Amino acid sequence: MPTDAVGRFLAALDPEHREAVSAKPLEEQEELAAAWERELETDTELDTLDELSPPAAEAEAARRVLDRGTG
């Protein structure tokens, strides 16, 4: 399991989005990963999901970040 923010963010994405984000410049990947970490930290709705399934919470946060078009 990746330990850096970008690696963890990429792992949370579905394969199609993972490929698309991997093709972006590293700086943009880092910005998306930072937004993803903020989403995980600040969204209280994800807290409950995280208790039930941390991977599901991470995937939901990643989806939200990409839906917003952050980066």
Side-chain angles (χ1 to χ4, degrees), residues 12 36 39-40 46 49 55-65 67:
W36 172 71
E39 183 76 18
L40 285 169
L46 291 174
L49 182 58
E58 291 179 351
E60 175 62 17
R63 183 192 63 76
R64 290 178 184 183
V65 166
D67 285 351

Side-chain angles (χ1 to χ4, degrees), residues 15-35:
E16 181 181 324
H17 287 109
R18 185 177 309 124
E19 186 176 319
V21 171
S22 293
K24 295 179 182 290
L26 181 58
E27 184 176 309
E28 190 171 343
Q29 291 180 37
E30 290 171 342
E31 290 172 6
L32 288 166

Side-chain angles (χ1 to χ4, degrees), residues 2-58:
T3 57
D4 67 306
V6 172
R8 291 183 308 119
F9 173 64
L10 291 173
L13 295 170
D14 61 72
E16 181 181 324
H17 287 109
R18 185 177 309 124
E19 186 176 319
V21 171
S22 293
K24 295 179 182 290
L26 181 58
E27 184 176 309
E28 190 171 343
Q29 291 180 37
E30 290 171 342
E31 290 172 6
L32 288 166
W36 172 71
E37 287 186 319
R38 284 190 303 274
E39 183 76 18
L40 285 169
E41 291 172 3
T42 60
D43 191 309
T44 56
E45 290 178 13
L46 291 174
D47 289 343
T48 302
L49 182 58
D50 186 52
E51 289 179 18
L52 299 173
S53 175
E58 291 179 351

